[in-house]
Amino acid sequence: MMEAVRKAGLRSIQETKVSTWAEAEKYLKTWDPPLSPKRPCVFKVLTGAGSEGIESATSLEQAKEQFFSVIGTKSTMGGSYAQVLVQEFLKGKQYAVDTVS
């Protein structure tokens, strides 16, 4: 969804999909201002239910710990997580819209 927003030229959340810690670390080191308690990141699984597989981090050490706590683990939906989404944390209300098509 955020890719579509970005492609439309609108301001959007910073995010990337990663499958290795090296990719995640490289991405997080590009942040300006850097990862910190004032600017945390969130790791999200690409499939799952509810808040399954969502972890936040405020330092590279914590980010590494959170990455390895998710990657390769079993999903409640079946299979295992080979990739995670790394996003900047946005403060505020969150809304979810479920659809059926």
Side-chain angles (χ1 to χ4, degrees), residues 63-93:
K64 184 176 183 178
E65 183 180 309
Q66 300 302 349
F67 174 84
F68 284 110
S69 76
V70 174
I71 203 78
T73 60
K74 298 289 181 196
S75 162
T76 58
M77 309 287 276
S80 63
Y81 302 120
Q83 276 191 315
V84 293
L85 184 67
V86 183
Q87 288 184 329
E88 65 180 320
F89 175 82
L90 297 180
K91 187 176 180 178
K93 289 185 179 182

Side-chain angles (χ1 to χ4, degrees), residues 19-30:
S19 55
T20 67
W21 169 244
E23 292 171 332
E25 182 180 36
K26 181 178 177 182
Y27 172 68
L28 290 170
K29 285 184 173 181
T30 67

Side-chain angles (χ1 to χ4, degrees), residues 3-66:
E3 281 185 41
V5 171
R6 198 172 9 269
K7 285 180 182 177
L10 301 170
R11 199 172 119 224
S12 64
I13 191 169
Q14 288 187 339
E15 65 181 11
T16 192
K17 293 177 193 172
V18 299
S19 55
T20 67
W21 169 244
E23 292 171 332
E25 182 180 36
K26 181 178 177 182
Y27 172 68
L28 290 170
K29 285 184 173 181
T30 67
W31 284 20
D32 185 25
L35 184 63
S36 70
K38 289 186 178 183
R39 186 157 189 232
C41 74
V42 179
F43 287 90
K44 295 181 178 180
V45 297
L46 301 179
T47 60
S51 61
E52 176 186 2
I54 298 178
E55 302 289 345
S56 63
T58 58
S59 67
L60 283 175
E61 296 79 24
Q62 193 178 38
K64 184 176 183 178
E65 183 180 309
Q66 300 302 349

